[in-house]
């Protein structure tokens, strides 16, 4: 057999080395050719799951492939996020993440992934404050009455803790009002709200998608963590206006792929998300549930990454100051 000359050999080696890169580029150009899995870190029926199911319908039409939602509960959304962090970086497994699993959990859990560096941000989706909801039979009609009642019943009241953000805001509330209550952990807001409806817990801090239950008289709402009143509930005061300015918090939801996902694939997923957020049906549904949208120029991977870093700088020291530990 005739051996190739040295130059021919080097050309063959270089060509072989380039094949994976060429293959990745070709795959990115044709992406997607099969269904995409979107992991959601909380139980079906909760806020994150609702956002996912509203958005994926439009994303599916844009991408020409099904986007399949997989609810993977555990560790405040970190189990679902961790699956994506370890997934093949080809865009076929993405995570509907949020400030919890993609920021706060980094100061709360010992995680097998880096919340800030092991993902390729795709796009922010929606933002929202959280609100203080209570069982309808709770003997208080406004926030001041609620605080007074809590002070008369120290450690005899229970709050449903469905996520780290709800734990964080509850800890802020305790500190600022001098109240004490038990925190009952749940794997998502859907089972927590069922216990609230049944009177098994006294109150919970959760997303504004629970507002329809307030409108039909099933539960009460006392205050929101936004700086100004939200459009979906203009009659609900904020903690700020009630004299508790430290209880100011904004949640957000966004899409993430594994670190190393090709830029072209991230771009297609971003375009699908942006298209979904521009869909009047999607917007109407999410606005009705109390969610708000980012300006169009903030619906970018770069804006989502910047938001992660800013929230880590703000909240990690507070989590450590309060001594909030994984349960």
């Amino acid at each position: 057999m005739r051996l190739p000359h040295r130059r021919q050999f080097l050309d063959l080696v270089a060509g072989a080395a380039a094949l994976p890169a060429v293959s990745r580029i070709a795959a990115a150009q044709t992406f997607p050719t099969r269904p995409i899995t979107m992991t959601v870190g909380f139980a079906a029926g909760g806020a994150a799951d609702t956002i996912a199911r509203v958005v994926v319908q439009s994303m599916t039409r844009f991408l020409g492939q099904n986007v399949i939602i997989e609810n993977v509960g555990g560790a405040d959304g970190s189990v679902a996020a961790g699956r994506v962090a370890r997934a093949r970086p080809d865009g076929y497994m993405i995570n509907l993440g949020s400030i919890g699993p993609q920021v706060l959990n980094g100061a709360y859990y010992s995680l097998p992934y880096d919340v800030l560096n092991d993902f390729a941000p795709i796009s922010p989706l929606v933002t929202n404050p959280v609100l203080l909801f209570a069982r309808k039979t709770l003997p208080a009609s406004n926030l001041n009455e609620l605080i007074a009642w809590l002070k008369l019943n120290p450690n005899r009241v229970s709050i449903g803790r469905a996520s780290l953000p709800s734990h964080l805001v509850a800890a802020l509330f305790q500190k600022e009002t001098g109240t004490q209550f038990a925190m009952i952990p749940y794997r998502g807001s859907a089972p927590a709200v069922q216990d609230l409806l049944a009177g098994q817990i006294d109150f919970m801090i959760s997303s504004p998608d629970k507002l329809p239950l307030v409108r039909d008289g099933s539960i009460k709402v006392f205050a929101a963590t936004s700086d100004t009143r939200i459009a979906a509930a203009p009659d609900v005061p904020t903690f700020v206006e009630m004299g508790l300015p430290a209880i100011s918090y904004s949640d957000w939801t966004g899409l993430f792929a594994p670190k190393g996902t090709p830029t072209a694939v991230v771009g297609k997923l971003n375009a699908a998300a942006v298209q979904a957020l521009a869909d009047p049906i999607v917007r109407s549904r999410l606005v009705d549930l109390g969610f708000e949208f980012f300006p169009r120029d903030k619906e970018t991977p770069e804006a989502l990454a910047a938001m992660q870093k800013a929230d880590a700088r703000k909240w990690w020291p507070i989590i450590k100051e309060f001594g909030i530990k994984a349960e």
Side-chain angles (χ1 to χ4, degrees):
M1 180 178 70
R2 181 184 176 188
L3 295 175
H5 292 297
R6 184 173 183 274
R7 180 53 182 262
Q8 292 175 309
F9 176 75
L10 292 175
D11 287 345
L12 287 170
V13 170
L19 283 175
V22 171
S23 177
R24 288 194 297 270
I25 293 170
Q29 289 174 340
T30 59
F31 175 87
T33 59
R34 54 188 171 86
I36 296 165
T37 297
M38 179 187 293
T39 66
V40 176
F42 301 95
D49 181 69
T50 299
I51 294 167
R53 294 183 189 280
V54 172
V55 169
V56 297
Q57 296 177 27
S58 183
M59 289 184 67
T60 292
R61 291 193 296 271
F62 180 86
L63 293 167
Q65 291 288 342
N66 286 332
V67 181
I68 301 167
I69 295 172
E70 187 174 344
N71 296 92
V72 186
D76 291 297
S78 288
V79 174
R83 284 190 59 181
V84 172
R86 296 186 298 271
R88 185 173 179 176
D90 55 11
Y92 288 100
M93 180 171 281
I94 62 177
N95 178 231
L96 182 112
S98 64
I99 189 174
Q102 263 75 23
V103 178
L104 305 182
N105 289 4
Y108 184 71
Y109 288 103
S110 177
L111 297 171
Y113 65 89
D114 186 314
V115 295
L116 300 180
N117 296 309
D118 283 349
F119 297 96
I122 296 169
S123 176
L125 295 178
V126 293
T127 183
N128 60 273
V130 292
L131 296 93
L132 178 60
F133 298 98
R135 57 180 169 85
K136 67 179 182 180
T137 55
L138 192 144
S141 59
N142 57 53
L143 184 63
N144 289 332
E145 290 181 5
L146 172 64
I147 294 169
W149 180 77
L150 288 170
K151 289 181 176 180
L152 290 173
N153 295 276
N155 294 314
R156 294 199 294 270
V157 177
S158 59
I159 183 172
R161 176 216 174 286
S163 65
L164 180 50
S166 65
H167 190 165
L168 178 58
V169 174
L172 277 171
F173 181 76
Q174 284 184 323
K175 178 184 177 182
E176 295 300 312
T177 61
T179 56
Q180 292 294 323
F181 41 79
M183 296 197 195
I184 311 300
Y186 288 85
R187 294 178 73 88
S189 63
V193 79
Q194 289 303 314
D195 277 359
L196 186 68
L197 289 166
Q200 299 300 311
I201 56 175
D202 296 295
F203 61 116
M204 67 183 293
I205 293 168
S206 192
S207 301
D209 62 314
K210 315 302 182 300
L211 286 169
L213 294 173
V214 175
R215 297 180 191 124
D216 69 17
S218 299
I219 59 175
K220 296 181 176 182
V221 63
F222 288 98
T225 61
S226 49
D227 292 335
T228 59
R229 297 193 181 198
I230 61 174
D235 56 334
V236 178
T238 69
F239 287 102
V240 173
E241 69 181 87
M242 295 298 290
L244 297 167
I247 308 178
S248 176
Y249 172 86
S250 291
D251 205 347
W252 51 257
T253 302
L255 295 177
F256 295 84
K259 178 182 179 179
T261 301
T263 301
V265 169
V266 171
K268 285 191 177 181
L269 290 167
N270 174 268
V274 170
Q275 180 85 1
L277 296 174
D279 185 328
I281 295 175
V282 170
R283 293 184 76 87
S284 176
R285 174 66 175 145
L286 293 175
V287 167
D288 285 346
L289 293 172
F291 298 109
E292 298 175 348
F293 298 90
F294 293 92
R296 173 63 188 89
D297 63 350
K298 298 297 183 183
E299 294 174 346
T300 66
E302 296 78 15
L304 182 52
M307 198 157 48
Q308 280 184 281
K309 293 173 183 174
D311 279 332
R313 288 192 298 270
K314 177 179 180 179
W315 292 113
W316 283 359
I318 294 174
I319 291 171
K320 292 174 182 176
E321 174 192 346
F322 284 1
I324 299 176
K325 304 291 184 183
E327 299 170 351

